[in-house]
Amino acid sequence: MEANHLSKISTFLFLLFASAATLALGQGTRVGFYLTSCPRAESIVQSTVRTHFQSNPKIAPGILRMHFHDCFVQGCDGSILIDGAGTEKTAPPNLLLRGYEVIDDAKRQLEQACPGVVSCADILALAARDSVVLSNGPGWPVPTGRRDGRVSLASDTANLPGFRDSVDLQKQKFAAKGLNTQDLVALVGGHTIGTVACQFAQYRMYNFNSSVTVDPSISPSFLSQFQSLCPANGDASKRVALDTGSENRFDNSFFGNLQSGRGILESDQMLWTDPSTRTLVQRFLGIRGLLGLTFSVEFARSMVKMSSIGVKTGTDGEIRKVCSAVN
Ligand SMILES: *[C@@H]1O[C@H](CO)[C@@H](O)[C@H](O)[C@H]1NC(C)=O
């Protein structure tokens, strides 16, 4: 009798917490959403990403960043994928995104396997996870059931984090999406893979601001290497690794580079300069005396939070027929 009562209470508590978790994260998405409606959905996305990755590993950071830029604008609803004048895609922060062809390819195959079922927003969320796995990073179950948005405006991209944003501003932009400071540091840690054009870093070495020429947060022992990667008046479109020495491998060496003043982006290096985020960087590095954080675990956790921002579910939005246009 008593045991039965206890088990009822714990079942009740479990359901309460489970539904609270569903409400807080993803508002109606769930792992395995396509299990019956399109059982091969996740494997089709995975094999498509793998095929493209094998011929060009740079699509991995491209897709990860694309997913992030999708979620921060109008929620994770595939609005980044829409073609046309004045769409998100045409806004300055999105001009150098790559990997659209991978999402379009997966969608083509999914429309053959299960027409009208799998959203472009979900394809992008799954492809971002698969890209990290292919780069030797962690995997995680991706809640699905997002629907595609019908609005995509370049003017909405102003709330994307920028490469000269202070830590306070970065925190504000993440907090506005329900992400805390640890999420910020973990997700910026995604810069463990990928590259950036010299145009976003050159000024740090040659004309930082009106009082100093060189950004003092650059380690003096890194400066000459950094200068040879991005020479003064050199090709502004030349790509440089965000995680020097480990650009294709998903690991925590990016944080080690911040610790030694070898960050490429000003906004990344600031995570070390600012004491409030430095502690988190140190914890990801497992500095003795601090409670350690395992980057791969925390990155996966923060990705699930990030990819539930403003999702459209149920009868909201639509399932696009092609990812580059609304129906
Ligand atoms: C230039 O950068 C230095 C180092 O970060 C800073 O201390 C200084 O306040 C900045 N000056 C201006 C005018 O922004």
Side-chain angles (χ1 to χ4, degrees), residues 164 208-212 214-217 266:
R164 295 207 75 173
F208 185 56
N209 67 22
S210 54
S211 53
V212 297
V214 179
D215 179 346
S217 69
E266 185 183 359

Side-chain angles (χ1 to χ4, degrees), residues 217-248:
S217 69
I218 302 172
S219 163
S221 67
F222 180 57
L223 188 59
S224 61
Q225 185 185 345
F226 197 179
Q227 284 172 329
S228 63
L229 290 168
C230 290
N233 311 312
D235 178 1
S237 67
K238 186 188 168 202
R239 309 291 299 196
V240 51
L242 287 163
D243 180 14
T244 306
S246 170
E247 74 173 89
N248 292 319

Side-chain angles (χ1 to χ4, degrees), residues 49 71 107 122 258 297 311:
V49 177
C71 292
K107 179 63 171 175
D122 276 344
L258 298 188
V297 172
V311 292

Side-chain angles (χ1 to χ4, degrees), residues 137-191:
W140 59 91
V142 177
T144 42
R146 295 169 192 76
R147 291 170 60 88
D148 297 322
R150 298 179 49 84
V151 175
S152 178
L153 294 170
S155 54
D156 285 338
T157 61
N159 56 1
L160 282 168
F163 63 100
R164 295 207 75 173
D165 287 354
S166 68
V167 169
D168 280 344
L169 186 53
Q170 295 183 58
K171 283 183 187 170
Q172 259 177 50
K173 287 178 172 179
F174 275 68
K177 304 293 170 190
L179 299 171
N180 62 29
T181 306
Q182 184 179 313
D183 296 319
L184 164 67
V185 176
L187 292 170
V188 172
H191 287 167

